[in-house]
Amino acid sequence: MPAPQPVIKRLDHLGLIAAFCREVGLPDIIDRIIPKYSEHKVSHGDAVLAMILNGLGFHSRTLHMFSDFFETKPVSKLLAKDIEAHHLTDDVLGRTLDALYEADVSALYQAIAEHVVDKLGLKTDSVHLDITSFHVDGEYAQDDDINAIKLVKGYSRDHRPELNQVVLELICENQAGLPVYMQALSGNTNDAKAFSEVTKKHIHCLKAAQNSRYFIADAALYTEDSIRSLDEQKQKFITRVPMTIKSAKEALLALRPEQLTHIGNGYSGCWIDANYGAVTQKWLLVHSEQATKREEITFYKNLDKNAAKELKALGQLMKKEFACAIDAEQAMDDFASQCHLIGFAQKTIIKEAVYAGRGRPKKGAKPTGYRYFIDATPYTDLDKVKLAKLKVGMFILATNDTDSADLTMAALLEHYKSQQKVERGFRFLKSPEFLTSSIFLKKPQRIEALLMIMTLSLLVYASLEHKIREQLNKTEAFFPSMVKNKTTTKPTARWVFLKFEGIDTLELDGQSFITGVREHQLRLLKLLGQLYEAVYS
């Protein structure tokens, strides 16, 4: 009789992820909201945990290789149930994604996120709104579900405009960068419109926003509807002001260098009172020395080129034929509003008669119609050039918090710069190591559910990073740093995951052993708690 062969499975960092998900009760929450009603071996909560493990496995495989991923993993230890790799099929994946969609992915995610925030004891000062897009592969037929997202072409942030897009909107809290709200949107969604919708319909029921002092977003938030909606809900906001607004241009043109006050770290600023969208607010005009140095060279280099480009575009417009004077005037007005360097000494509409036949019309012939052309005399508008120069290294921040004495220039700037937390989350989701760089599933509804799984993975990643750093800060720094022979109390979760490579389970004669655990890993596991130690014992 041959001797039994040992079976080795890779545990690595996946035990940390599984332990955290069980600690916060993530699978149980899902099973309570969407319980399974059939005899399937894997519940929806188990399947979601498996997908998160797959997503945070950093293996660069697409999601359809779901079951293959678990062939070399100790599934029963990770899921803490009598489940094996062959139970985790594509059918299980699809069934769970369908159930998530039916349960309303945004509402379900919000319930989970609020529970995790409470579990971690996070006290948020602000929440941050942002939006990004992913391209989707394959052809999708139009669905009868009017509530399903539309996979259509739109603005592509990953530079694949030829492909259909899907948009993900996130709101993140500022302490750990946890996404507390997510919504999948159609590929052609306009940022400003999406931000307006979320401020009107969702902020009032978002616990993290209610507990936060500030709601922060980029310039897409700064529309009359959005800021008025926030102000009416007594929600303080901080946002960037688009330079296309007339009053913003006027503020920059009226600014004198001596008005700027030093803020620190290469920034200087000036307060001005403002009223936009019937909302009383104050603006901080900010000048960045680093941005000025970086952008000034490009500005002068491109000044003549951009002016020539506008003149060329004017020449093409003047050759264009219009059916009526109103159309010609509208086209000229639209063009003039887009010119950043040239102005117009005169703008006229030329009316030309159209006659039947070729050649010169006979004397007394009546025209069969008229056509219209634009005639304009351009010049270099020095005010526009001055404004363009002023924009180099300058930006404007707006807030409706006009009474707080502790909201200094430095504090306002720091609050806005923490917007990078949500941008960091988007970079994580777009990493080629995470799930897949593009998306292909059979139905738009499943793509919407997959975006929830991706956001849940980001939630777990950011939460685990926060927990590890918090525990390390309570003791002496000992976890290995990326710098040789150094230690750190602020490792990224990705670095911790890399330092947990090489841990395996060994199954022999019906017994299971953990191999490859090193000293720094044992010490971290002890800090994290018994649940984490149990997975690696």
Side-chain angles (χ1 to χ4, degrees):
M1 182 176 177
Q5 295 298 309
V7 177
I8 299 174
K9 298 290 182 73
R10 297 191 61 178
L11 180 58
D12 296 335
H13 66 283
L14 297 179
L16 296 173
I17 298 164
F20 177 80
C21 289
R22 291 208 292 273
E23 181 183 20
V24 298
L26 192 151
D28 295 334
I29 295 172
I30 292 171
D31 285 336
R32 283 197 300 271
I33 297 174
I34 46 174
K36 66 170 187 174
Y37 293 105
S38 61
E39 296 303 316
H40 291 289
K41 184 80 173 178
V42 183
S43 73
H44 296 310
D46 295 331
V48 168
L49 174 53
M51 282 189 274
I52 292 172
L53 290 167
N54 182 51
L56 294 176
F58 297 102
H59 50 79
S60 302
R61 296 189 200 180
T62 54
L63 197 59
H64 73 269
M65 300 178 74
F66 186 55
S67 56
D68 293 349
F69 171 75
F70 288 100
E71 288 292 339
T72 58
K73 307 298 184 294
V75 177
S76 59
K77 178 173 275 292
L78 292 170
L79 300 186
K81 291 182 180 179
D82 186 21
I83 297 174
E84 298 178 13
H86 67 268
H87 294 131
L88 300 170
T89 63
D90 289 346
D91 177 63
V92 168
L93 172 73
R95 177 170 51 85
T96 297
L97 292 176
D98 290 340
L100 292 173
Y101 175 79
E102 292 298 326
D104 186 341
V105 293
S106 293
L108 178 56
Y109 179 83
Q110 187 175 329
I112 294 170
E114 288 179 355
H115 174 76
V116 173
V117 168
D118 288 342
K119 193 80 175 176
L120 293 175
L122 294 173
K123 305 296 182 185
T124 59
D125 299 320
S126 59
V127 291
H128 300 258
L129 172 65
D130 209 344
I131 200 168
T132 194
S133 63
F134 300 86
H135 63 269
V136 296
D137 294 329
E139 296 294 329
Y140 289 80
Q142 291 297 322
D143 199 282
D144 293 334
D145 185 353
I146 60 172
N147 296 315
I149 57 174
K150 306 300 180 188
L151 306 177
V152 293
K153 290 181 174 60
Y155 174 63
S156 175
R157 293 162 178 82
D158 46 8
H159 311 295
R160 296 298 304 271
E162 76 280 6
L163 297 176
N164 289 334
Q165 308 289 320
V166 60
V167 169
L168 176 63
E169 184 177 51
L170 292 185
I171 297 177
C172 294
E173 55 79 44
N174 73 312
Q175 293 299 306
L178 269 60
V180 293
Y181 173 83
M182 62 78 57
Q183 185 175 14
L185 300 167
S186 297
N188 59 353
T189 300
N190 175 270
D191 289 13
K193 185 177 179 181
F195 286 6
S196 178
E197 287 291 310
V198 80
T199 57
K200 289 177 181 177
K201 296 181 179 179
H202 300 288
I203 291 301
H204 67 281
C205 63
L206 187 62
K207 186 177 178 182
Q210 294 168 3
N211 295 337
S212 296
R213 183 175 178 182
Y214 295 113
F215 186 84
I216 303 174
D218 62 20
L221 180 68
Y222 201 81
T223 64
E224 293 189 19
D225 281 350
S226 294
I227 64 172
R228 190 184 302 122
S229 175
L230 288 170
D231 195 60
E232 288 171 352
Q233 296 176 67
K234 302 190 183 306
Q235 174 66 61
K236 302 300 183 185
F237 62 77
I238 295 173
T239 181
R240 193 161 176 162
V241 179
M243 291 300 189
T244 53
I245 293 177
K246 182 181 178 182
S247 49
K249 297 176 183 177
E250 292 172 347
L252 286 182
L253 286 170
L255 180 67
R256 299 188 303 277
E258 59 269 21
Q259 292 177 279
L260 294 171
T261 303
H262 180 67
I263 298 175
N265 297 320
Y267 291 96
S268 54
C270 170
W271 290 115
I272 65 170
D273 294 325
N275 188 298
Y276 183 76
V279 176
T280 301
Q281 55 199 282
K282 56 183 181 181
W283 286 0
L284 177 62
L285 278 60
V286 184
H287 177 261
S288 168
E289 291 178 6
Q290 289 184 342
T292 299
K293 291 176 182 178
R294 186 173 61 248
E295 297 170 12
E296 205 167 43
I297 297 173
T298 307
F299 173 78
Y300 287 115
K301 182 179 179 182
N302 294 333
L303 186 61
D304 290 340
K305 185 190 299 183
N306 290 335
K309 191 181 294 183
E310 290 184 0
L311 289 171
K312 182 179 179 181
L314 174 63
Q316 293 173 341
L317 183 65
M318 290 171 64
K319 293 177 182 177
K320 188 175 179 180
E321 180 181 318
F322 295 91
C324 66
I326 295 175
D327 288 350
E329 289 170 0
Q330 184 62 52
M332 186 63 217
D333 290 342
D334 291 343
F335 178 78
S337 67
Q338 296 170 12
C339 290
H340 302 294
L341 297 173
I342 64 173
F344 302 95
Q346 60 86 22
K347 297 179 288 185
T348 57
I349 305 301
I350 298 174
K351 180 180 179 181
E352 286 188 0
V354 178
Y355 294 90
R358 295 182 179 180
R360 181 179 297 177
K362 296 179 180 180
K363 187 175 181 180
K366 293 183 179 181
T368 57
Y370 295 91
R371 58 183 181 180
Y372 300 83
F373 294 91
I374 294 170
D375 184 39
T377 305
Y379 67 92
T380 301
D381 191 326
L382 296 181
D383 282 340
K384 287 186 176 182
V385 174
K386 181 182 177 182
L387 179 61
K389 175 65 172 65
L390 283 170
K391 288 181 182 179
V392 174
M394 290 288 301
F395 58 94
I396 302 175
L397 300 179
T399 180
N400 59 339
D401 188 1
T402 57
D403 301 322
S404 299
D406 59 336
L407 187 63
T408 62
M409 292 184 186
L412 179 64
L413 183 59
E414 189 63 29
H415 278 302
Y416 180 74
K417 288 172 71 176
S418 61
Q419 179 76 0
Q420 294 170 356
K421 288 185 181 293
V422 66
E423 293 168 357
R424 176 194 172 199
F426 283 140
R427 287 195 298 273
F428 170 83
L429 293 176
K430 287 175 176 288
S431 167
E433 293 181 314
F434 177 74
L435 280 178
T436 174
S437 58
S438 62
I439 300 169
F440 176 73
L441 289 173
K442 292 181 179 179
K443 298 190 295 185
Q445 293 88 337
R446 289 186 176 181
I447 286 185
E448 188 169 338
L450 177 61
L451 288 173
M452 177 194 169
I453 297 294
M454 293 167 69
T455 311
L456 275 175
S457 299
L458 173 58
L459 174 73
V460 171
Y461 179 92
S463 299
L464 192 53
E465 181 176 273
H466 174 79
K467 182 178 177 67
I468 290 170
R469 290 181 173 185
E470 190 178 53
Q471 294 302 317
L472 287 174
N473 275 319
K474 292 178 180 178
T475 184
E476 58 182 301
F478 72 85
F479 198 81
S481 170
M482 296 179 74
V483 180
K484 192 174 182 179
N485 299 323
K486 298 287 185 179
T487 57
T488 180
T489 57
K490 291 186 176 181
T492 64
R494 184 72 177 101
W495 176 245
V496 174
F497 292 172
L498 285 172
K499 296 302 289 183
F500 266 68
E501 283 186 347
I503 301 178
D504 298 321
T505 64
L506 173 65
E507 297 174 11
L508 182 64
D509 287 335
Q511 291 185 298
S512 180
F513 307 92
I514 300 291
T515 65
V517 181
R518 289 168 286 174
E519 180 62 24
H520 67 272
Q521 297 161 343
L522 287 172
R523 294 177 68 181
L524 179 59
L525 291 170
K526 186 175 181 180
L527 277 180
L528 294 175
Q530 292 183 353
L531 194 58
Y532 296 82
E533 289 182 290
V535 176
Y536 288 90
S537 62

